Amino acid sequence: MLSNLSDYPAFLERLQAGCGARSPALAVVDLEGLGDIDAALGYDVTDRLLRQAGEALATALPGGFVGMMGRHQLACMLPHVDGSGFAELAGHKMLRVLGEPFPCGEREVLLWPRVGLALSRGGRAVAPPTLLAQACAAMRKARRERVRLRLHAPDAAETMLEGVDLWSQLGDAIEEGALHLEYQPQIALASGRVESAEALLRWDHPEYGAIRPDTMVRAAEGTDLMPRLTHWVFNTALRQCAEYRQAGLGVGVSVNFSADDLQEPEVVDLVAQSLDLWGVPPEQVTIELTETAVMESHDATARDALHSMKGLGLRLSMDDFGIGYSSMERLLRMPLDELKIDMTFVHELSASPPHQRIVESMVGLGHKLGLTVVAEGVEDEDTLTRLRALDCDLVQGFYLGRPARLGYFMEQMLRTRD
């Protein structure tokens, strides 16, 4: 083993000494591909690959040292880094080194690294636990944002503390009924009828006020709260969908899932059990996933979950289409039923000819792939008219109906129908 590659206890000792150096930086590297290696080839192979990756970093970072933090993570200490620009250069070098295939018997495997960076500022020494916590927070931010590299922001402490508060209280909110769903109608342009309703998660926090759904997901991701939150949302949406269908509204429901949900081994069983429990026809249930989540479903677990949900009869939708990085080849392989054009493009449809051409291209692409196309963020009559002219299938937005709790949603829909 190289002298600048250590196990975790030895790395912490060297980190304690290194934090006294001028302008130290610390990187935490998460190797996502090792989770698949664990399942396919066993822990011994994973350990060998982690050591290979650590040795590659130790060789590429002269003057620094590397530690193995756990089954899928490495940490790198760089004693002398003059500012965030140099820290990011070091981070990109780590990504290049770890982005190459590693030999594994007769195979070569990719490890999918993500890097979080933290550094002392203004010449001040930073306690090792603080520097390590900051680098871990930056790495988690990179994972949430689906990017490869993030530098810890010096003003992020308050935001981090709020995230800790939300995480610690979210479990109680689930159990105590503090969360609720609101429903926004999705209307077919051809008939003018409400076809479905998107279930939107809400939490009125006593201290922080209305909490955005993506904030709740960020607080829960990577913890045992994520499957609990998804279970609550999906069950509640199907229970309330069954309620408004029994009242005479032949309307489906659309539920948002996160990328983490596709990694849960029991997610398909959860979906199947909820369908059986509430008796909602599966073809009336749409699972929405962001474009980034769908495109990053590169491993077998996520792909199998998508195909299994499709096999249950559910519809699958790519949300926020246009703001991610869709590969046409991968888009063709995904078992999708629907593309949902992001509101960023819809909002500018009337004022911007380029946006109109982009939306027209998206609608055409969706139809050529045999998919239903939904436009969200419709806020005026002119936008609605233009979408109708472009042959868009479904629309939703404040102009057509604001999100509302179940009782008010049912009242409005029944009144409109009558």
Side-chain angles (χ1 to χ4, degrees), residues 17 57 92 328 342 360 376:
L57 279 185
H92 285 294
M328 290 300 106
D342 186 73
E360 183 178 9
E376 61 179 340

Side-chain angles (χ1 to χ4, degrees), residues 317-374:
S317 174
M318 180 188 284
D319 195 8
D320 300 337
F321 182 61
I323 63 171
Y325 51 94
S326 294
S327 154
M328 290 300 106
E329 186 271 336
R330 296 195 62 204
L331 187 60
L332 287 169
R333 289 193 287 115
M334 293 293 107
L336 296 173
D337 300 280
E338 180 180 282
L339 292 181
K340 196 169 185 183
I341 301 173
D342 186 73
M343 65 177 62
T344 304
F345 302 99
V346 177
H347 284 167
E348 299 296 327
L349 191 58
S350 299
S352 169
H355 281 78
Q356 182 165 340
R357 289 193 290 271
I358 289 172
V359 172
E360 183 178 9
S361 298
M362 291 177 177
V363 173
L365 173 63
H367 287 166
K368 287 176 182 177
L369 294 175
L371 306 177
T372 300
V373 180
V374 184

Side-chain angles (χ1 to χ4, degrees), residues 218-275:
R218 284 199 301 270
E221 273 183 330
T223 75
D224 61 359
L225 281 178
M226 194 67 241
R228 289 174 58 196
L229 183 62
T230 301
H231 184 273
W232 183 89
V233 170
F234 193 71
N235 260 293
T236 303
L238 261 64
R239 173 174 59 81
Q240 295 184 339
C241 178
E243 185 175 339
Y244 63 66
R245 289 177 67 83
Q246 289 170 4
L249 292 176
V251 174
V253 69
S254 183
V255 185
N256 292 277
F257 273 37
S258 76
D260 272 17
D261 292 324
L262 298 181
Q263 300 294 331
E264 285 297 325
E266 297 180 356
V267 67
V268 177
D269 289 340
L270 177 155
V271 167
Q273 290 167 9
S274 297
L275 287 170

